[in-house]
Amino acid sequence: MTLDVRPSARDVLSHGRALFDPALRAAVDRLPGTMRHIAGYHFGWWDADGTQLDADQGKAIRPTMTLCSAAAVGGAVADAVPAAVAVELVHNFTLLHDDVMDRDRTRRHRATAWCVFGTGQAILAGDALLTLAYEVLAEDGHPAFRPAATALSHAVLAVQDGQAADLSFETRTDVTLPECVRMAQQKTAALLGCATGLGALYGGGTPEQVAHLRSFGEHIGLAFQLVDDLLGIWGDPEVTGKPVHSDLVSRKKSLPVVAALRTTSPAADRLAELYLTPDPLAPATAATAADLVAEAGGRAWCRDEIATHHARAAESLRLGAVNERPAAELSALADLITHRDH
């Protein structure tokens, strides 16, 4: 049997949020007052003074993939809601901390939490979300709690190691492409792989199914980072919420940049000269750098890698999923991630 109509990624995400959002809000409501207030601001539920809002809350790709993965292996979606909430809490823990470390002043077109409440308070709010994630898993009492908590811990440690590597790249001139790929695998792919793996685990999947669904998430997670890095150079500011060429202005050693620098070409040599400048690049210079990245092959390399990991993800999904509809929903989300405008 084949589906008559391919699921819409937008509908899948909307349905996923409707399923897990009440549980997410209920969990955050249990936080101490100050932490709850900062977390709710970060999630877009209210303004800095507590006024209720309907702000951009993000796509919620990770928790939705958790729910779809549970159904894909034949489980009940409702059983995976605590795992989805835990994944979303951990993801936002990383965002709160990343904004502080990267000194980003806006997220989803709003001032970041550290800009509004202070650095220390934002860090503590992130810590609170991480703690809450494990509490949500423990209180649910699902038989898979222990392996789920272990998998989540491994993902968090990988994210932290990846973020540490990313920070170290800022002061290095010898970053290799394998190092950069590994950083992306840890910083982005590990948590997305954990999200789909936990869904399969909570859906009662076999060890083989859990491994295949985790692999699906990891490949899509790496593709996600590759696309993000392309958007950090060539993305539309109206969509990304960041200035044009933002990653180049800050001389970020993103995947397309490092891929370009590893080539032997005049464009790569010129790009290397620009990246040796200690100060942020001026807008005109950043525009030149973007042209050099493309000329040296960095943009094309990323697009090839995105296609490769998309195909590998599709194969992992084919091997691990038994239910056609949720598998198609996961495929639609994979297409959404990999076909953003870049």
Side-chain angles (χ1 to χ4, degrees), residues 152-182:
L152 194 62
S153 292
H154 289 168
V156 170
L157 290 173
V159 170
Q160 292 171 329
D161 196 28
Q163 178 67 5
D166 196 20
L167 290 172
S168 75
F169 291 174
E170 295 178 2
T171 57
R172 289 178 51 194
T173 59
D174 59 344
V175 178
T176 67
L177 189 56
E179 282 183 297
C180 201
V181 170
R182 177 169 171 76

Side-chain angles (χ1 to χ4, degrees), residues 88-173:
E88 184 69 351
L89 290 169
V90 167
H91 174 54
N92 283 277
F93 144 73
T94 68
L95 296 184
L96 282 162
H97 282 206
D98 282 359
D99 286 342
V100 170
M101 286 182 280
D102 297 340
R103 312 311 289 174
D104 286 337
R105 304 192 69 85
T106 59
R107 178 173 292 281
R108 299 167 188 154
H109 307 283
R110 301 172 73 217
T112 47
W114 72 269
C115 289
V116 176
F117 302 101
T119 299
Q121 296 282 35
I123 291 172
L124 290 172
D127 293 344
L129 293 185
L130 177 61
T131 303
L132 184 61
Y134 288 98
E135 186 176 301
V136 167
L137 288 181
E139 289 185 349
D140 175 59
H142 193 284
F145 160 65
R146 289 188 182 278
T150 299
L152 194 62
S153 292
H154 289 168
V156 170
L157 290 173
V159 170
Q160 292 171 329
D161 196 28
Q163 178 67 5
D166 196 20
L167 290 172
S168 75
F169 291 174
E170 295 178 2
T171 57
R172 289 178 51 194
T173 59

Side-chain angles (χ1 to χ4, degrees), residues 187-221:
K187 186 176 177 181
T188 304
L191 185 55
L192 223 160
C194 178
T196 51
L198 286 190
L201 189 62
Y202 272 60
T206 65
E208 291 77 15
Q209 287 176 312
V210 172
H212 287 311
L213 267 294
R214 183 176 62 248
S215 175
F216 164 78
E218 288 171 346
H219 283 298
I220 288 301

Side-chain angles (χ1 to χ4, degrees), residues 288-335:
T288 299
D291 291 340
L292 293 171
V293 172
E295 185 180 342
R299 192 175 195 178
W301 179 86
C302 282
R303 285 175 166 169
D304 288 345
E305 286 295 299
I306 290 166
T308 295
H309 286 287
H310 190 187
R312 290 175 180 171
E315 177 63 8
S316 294
L317 182 60
R318 184 188 68 79
L319 293 171
V322 296
N323 281 356
E324 185 180 16
R325 180 73 190 190
E329 292 173 343
L330 285 168
S331 181
L333 294 177
D335 289 347

